[in-house]
Amino acid sequence: MNSCAKLLQELTAGTHDEVLAALYALDGTQASLDRAQERAAQVVRSFAEIFTPEEHASVALFSGPGRTEIGGNHTDHQHGHVLCGSVDLDMLACAAPNGKEVIRIHSQGYPTLEVELSSLLPRERERNTSAALVRGVAAKAAELGYPLSGFDAYVTSNVLSGSGLSSSAAYEVLVGNILNHFCCGGALDPIQIAKIGQYAENVYFGKPCGLMDQMGSSVGGAVAIDFADPSAPLVKKVKYDFTRSGHALCIVDTGSSHGDLTDDYADITREMGAVAAHFNKRFLRDVPEADFRAAIPSLRVRCGDRAVLRAIHYYEDDRRAVQEGEALERGDFARFLELVNASGLSSAVHLQNTWSISDPSQQAIPLALAAGQELLEGTGAIRVHGGGFAGTIQAFVPNDRLEAFRSGMEALLGRGKCHILHIRPQGGTVVIG
């Protein structure tokens, strides 16, 4: 059992350095470990300032990481395969039971939110708020039969806003792990916690998301998911240590906005669905690729060329997502990089989600990709990240080219736009319990 004072003393003494290094110092440097140690200590100090430490006999640290899509761009909504992974940016919380029937969470920079456990039905006024996510996670845990009790938590986050790293999933996984530790006796596994997070986001928050974000955050490392049955996806943790790849993961913010892109995203789903409907199916996963290819001449007339190209992307990127995971498990990082590059090319040429037809003068992603390819000089890999049309790109950059790559991208896009991340081996977790 750790009091705030005891935990601070241990952090300062380096007692937990090995645990922190495994999450936050994946580049192996002392500077990264020092930053992680100070961040953890600051979270504990902030908890003690916001809440009354004398009321909490035992505090613990929890982490809910952001996630990155690695393979399978826009394949999940067609019941296909994806490859995703947790990253070393996260939501970090110091939390403790409060002996009350209320959850109180103070996120850095925001007012403290309170969720009464006496009523866990969805509330319309809470839709699209953090309170809805907390209430939804608690409600599902209660529905599963676990006796709930309140806790206090202070949360800080370095998950980049608008980066496609899914801060909402990180938050859901964080809250799920806190409840699992304090109320469920650790009985919930990472997949269950991910599903609870999706339930909260779908039913309480009001966003009809899939399960990739929560799985990537909760399971940790590289995660292969087969969405043949979205209600019960097949999840496999891919065994590969990215710290030995000789490459760093870069997420580059192009400075372009995701605003007003709803129609662009909807068109992808609609057009892929139209191709599937030609075969009296709802999803491309249920249409044999050979049947699709034989019908391309008639599909061009019925659905249009862009729909055909997007269906081609689905079949090829669905296959690549599986092959990427297999290459990693073989330790064949060179083949993995080839597949990532092929996915990026297909997203640009077939899926066509690197710029919006509604604003053709804005092509920040193609420009950033072109600049990145020049900087990589045939090494590494680069692709659009996430939903596309605007936002971020992803690159796997050889360590010996990392500083030149970052400097070059930031010369084009602005200081602080290139973020060097790592695929961390652990998902949502009790960091120090």
Side-chain angles (χ1 to χ4, degrees):
M1 296 175 64
N2 284 311
S3 65
C4 287
K6 182 171 182 282
L7 184 52
L8 277 172
Q9 183 182 33
E10 291 175 349
L11 287 167
T12 302
T15 304
H16 302 292
D17 280 1
E18 186 175 349
V19 172
L20 295 175
L23 293 177
Y24 305 118
L26 298 174
D27 60 0
T29 65
Q30 185 63 41
S32 292
L33 178 57
D34 290 344
R35 287 193 296 270
Q37 185 187 81
E38 174 53 31
R39 181 169 176 248
Q42 185 56 50
V43 168
V44 178
R45 286 192 289 266
S46 297
F47 175 90
E49 291 171 2
I50 298 294
F51 302 103
T52 305
E54 292 78 12
E55 295 181 359
H56 305 90
S58 179
V59 299
L61 286 182
F62 301 85
S63 170
R67 72 99 189 101
T68 183
E69 174 200 286
I70 301 172
N73 196 211
H74 282 280
T75 54
D76 56 335
H77 54 72
Q78 295 302 306
H79 295 190
H81 298 81
V82 300
L83 183 68
C84 56
S86 55
V87 298
D88 56 342
L89 297 182
D90 70 346
M91 292 191 174
L92 182 67
C94 179
N98 60 23
K100 308 177 191 303
E101 291 300 306
V102 62
I103 293 173
R104 300 184 298 199
I105 299 179
H106 186 99
S107 296
Q108 184 178 13
Y110 297 90
T112 301
L113 69 81
E114 297 190 2
V115 172
E116 296 283 348
L117 297 177
S118 57
S119 175
L120 294 176
L121 294 174
R123 298 185 179 184
E124 185 62 32
R125 67 177 181 273
E126 285 183 350
R127 290 176 74 85
N128 298 305
T129 70
S130 297
L133 297 177
V134 175
R135 194 178 302 278
V137 170
K140 178 55 75 170
E143 181 185 312
L144 292 172
Y146 296 102
L148 300 186
S149 58
F151 65 82
D152 294 334
Y154 179 88
V155 179
T156 188
S157 174
N158 58 13
V159 181
L160 305 170
S161 177
S163 62
L165 298 179
S166 194
S167 58
S168 59
Y171 190 75
E172 294 150 17
V173 168
L174 178 74
V175 174
N177 274 274
I178 296 173
L179 281 173
N180 190 35
H181 185 66
F182 292 144
C183 304
C184 308
L188 299 173
D189 64 33
I191 293 175
Q192 289 174 302
I193 291 174
K195 290 181 177 180
I196 289 171
Q198 182 199 25
Y199 171 83
E201 192 154 345
N202 290 172
V203 178
Y204 283 70
F205 188 84
K207 180 181 177 181
C209 68
L211 193 57
M212 179 181 69
D213 293 352
Q214 291 82 3
M215 285 293 189
S217 176
S218 187
V219 175
V223 184
I225 309 173
D226 181 351
F227 285 104
D229 179 359
S231 66
L234 300 176
V235 181
K236 178 184 178 183
K237 188 161 184 172
V238 176
K239 296 178 181 178
Y240 183 76
D241 183 358
F242 280 85
T243 64
R244 299 185 178 183
S245 69
H247 291 69
L249 168 66
C250 292
I251 299 296
V252 182
D253 180 3
T254 67
S256 49
S257 171
H258 280 93
D260 300 322
L261 295 176
T262 301
D263 290 345
D264 292 289
Y265 296 131
D267 281 346
I268 292 177
T269 305
R270 178 183 58 80
E271 290 176 6
M272 288 185 180
V275 173
H278 178 81
F279 301 91
N280 296 314
K281 302 293 184 182
R282 289 186 60 194
F283 305 104
L284 289 175
R285 175 65 177 261
D286 300 321
V287 179
E289 184 176 358
D291 293 355
F292 158 72
R293 297 220 176 243
I296 284 178
S298 57
L299 286 168
R300 293 185 63 197
V301 175
R302 179 173 178 175
C303 304
D305 288 344
R306 189 172 70 171
V308 171
L309 287 166
R310 284 175 164 171
I312 290 172
H313 168 82
Y314 163 77
Y315 287 108
E316 295 184 352
D317 223 42
D318 181 64
R319 188 160 45 246
R320 271 189 292 265
V322 176
Q323 293 169 345
E324 286 173 0
E326 293 171 345
L328 289 174
E329 291 213 310
R330 293 195 308 270
D332 190 349
F333 201 73
R335 175 58 177 158
F336 167 77
L337 293 174
E338 289 177 4
L339 291 163
V340 173
N341 276 322
S343 176
L345 181 62
S346 180
S347 291
V349 175
H350 297 143
L351 185 61
Q352 300 180 35
N353 71 330
T354 59
W355 58 278
S356 173
I357 195 171
S358 65
D359 185 12
S361 65
Q362 185 283 108
Q363 298 202 19
I365 285 181
L367 181 61
L369 290 171
Q373 286 170 340
E374 290 182 2
L375 291 165
L376 288 171
E377 295 183 327
T379 66
I382 193 166
R383 69 192 283 270
V384 65
H385 184 235
F389 299 107
T392 57
I393 64 171
Q394 175 194 80
F396 288 92
V397 182
N399 291 336
D400 60 0
R401 291 179 177 268
L402 188 54
E403 286 307 316
F405 182 86
R406 177 164 61 179
S407 297
M409 296 308 294
E410 294 189 347
L412 173 67
L413 299 167
R415 187 175 180 180
K417 294 294 188 179
C418 181
H419 304 277
I420 300 171
L421 311 181
H422 301 83
I423 302 294
R424 82 178 207 183
Q426 295 183 53
T429 188
V430 184
V431 181
I432 303 171

